[in-house]
Amino acid sequence: MDIYTIIFLALAVFIFLRLRSVLGQRTGSERPPFDRAARNAVQGAQDANVVPMPGKVIDQAPLAPSAEVTPPTDRWKSIAEPGTSLAQGLDAVATLDSSFDPRHFLSGARSAYEMIVLAFANGDRRALRDLLSPEVYESFDAAIKDREKHEQKTETRFVSIDKAELVGAEARDRTVQLTVRFVSQMISVTRDKAGTIVDGNPDKVADITDVWTFARDTNSRDPNWKLVGTGSAH
């Protein structure tokens, strides 16, 4: 061996002896390393505030009763008065659907209202089927069939939708229902095959108030609401 090999071997032996003296040797009587996660898993029944989790364990004191999440009294401001049955119904809906936003819902309901009214006037069954519950669809379809039988056509035009307000809310099992009162102005006329007017007035704006109920199954992946009940007052 050359001189460099001898020097490197001597240096390696020196480093090994130094590490041995610093780190010590295992004698067989050492205590096992402290495993906090394992201790928490075993003592879980004694310390109910600590939940064993893989990885880092962080002790956390239980929430004080006052820290529990409670709905603010004005959470439905401009939508429902605190303490009313409507506000309580909206609380129940929000419990089942944490993403529920009444203002977003009302915006969609206005669009659905206009789409359904126009689709019914035009006899558009395809559009109606996607927006109505089976029971309501059957009722609309029967009215369309009656027009077709008498060879009549309906023309409807919205002048304005002046108001869309929530008047009812309910949560039952996993289904939520919201009732909306729509106040609108529209022109509607029905003519026969010859063009003779059989109902309505093409030159008169009618004030219409409709009360519709929409429902959604919160278990369903479909986020859309469907019309499940209708009522109207002129």
Side-chain angles (χ1 to χ4, degrees):
M1 296 187 292
D2 57 26
I3 185 63
Y4 295 106
T5 302
I6 294 173
I7 291 173
F8 284 128
L9 287 175
L11 182 61
V13 171
F14 174 76
I15 293 173
F16 172 75
L17 292 175
R18 291 292 295 173
L19 289 174
R20 183 182 180 87
S21 64
V22 172
L23 300 178
Q25 305 180 49
R26 297 187 62 85
T27 63
S29 61
E30 295 83 1
R31 297 178 63 183
F34 181 69
D35 188 346
R36 187 175 185 185
R39 185 202 68 173
N40 289 333
V42 173
Q43 298 181 349
Q46 301 174 7
D47 188 357
N49 295 324
V50 180
V51 180
M53 297 287 288
K56 186 176 181 180
V57 177
I58 302 176
D59 289 331
Q60 181 174 335
L63 291 174
S66 60
E68 294 179 357
V69 178
T70 56
T73 56
D74 62 344
R75 70 185 304 193
W76 310 122
K77 187 176 181 180
S78 77
I79 300 293
E81 292 295 327
T84 61
S85 59
L86 175 58
Q88 294 170 359
L90 291 174
D91 286 339
V93 171
T95 299
L96 290 181
D97 183 0
S98 59
S99 64
F100 172 67
D101 180 345
R103 293 167 184 81
H104 179 72
F105 166 80
L106 285 174
S107 176
R110 290 174 68 102
S111 298
Y113 175 64
E114 184 173 0
M115 291 174 60
I116 291 171
V117 169
L118 296 180
F120 173 68
N122 297 328
D124 187 349
R125 291 181 173 85
R126 182 174 182 180
L128 292 173
R129 189 175 284 108
D130 293 334
L131 298 168
L132 313 179
S133 69
E135 295 78 13
V136 176
Y137 175 80
E138 289 180 5
S139 176
F140 278 45
D141 182 54
I144 293 173
K145 287 179 178 177
D146 185 66
R147 287 204 311 255
E148 293 172 341
K149 177 181 178 181
H150 293 90
E151 298 182 302
Q152 297 174 348
K153 289 187 177 181
T154 298
E155 302 168 3
T156 298
R157 178 169 61 88
F158 273 94
V159 176
S160 65
I161 299 178
D162 301 319
K163 183 182 293 185
E165 59 180 352
L166 281 167
V167 295
E170 180 182 5
R172 185 177 301 173
D173 296 328
R174 298 298 301 180
T175 299
V176 292
Q177 291 189 354
L178 296 173
T179 301
V180 185
R181 179 190 292 119
F182 297 99
V183 178
S184 63
Q185 293 185 326
M186 65 179 74
I187 298 173
S188 184
V189 60
T190 301
R191 304 175 188 270
D192 62 16
K193 182 173 61 174
T196 303
I197 296 174
V198 296
D199 187 35
N201 188 332
D203 302 317
K204 181 180 179 181
V205 177
D207 296 319
I208 306 296
T209 299
D210 285 310
V211 180
W212 287 9
T213 299
F214 298 86
R216 187 173 78 84
D217 182 353
T218 57
N219 276 337
S220 172
R221 294 183 178 181
D222 185 358
N224 296 318
W225 297 74
K226 292 196 174 185
L227 181 63
V228 298
T230 63
S232 63
H234 296 275

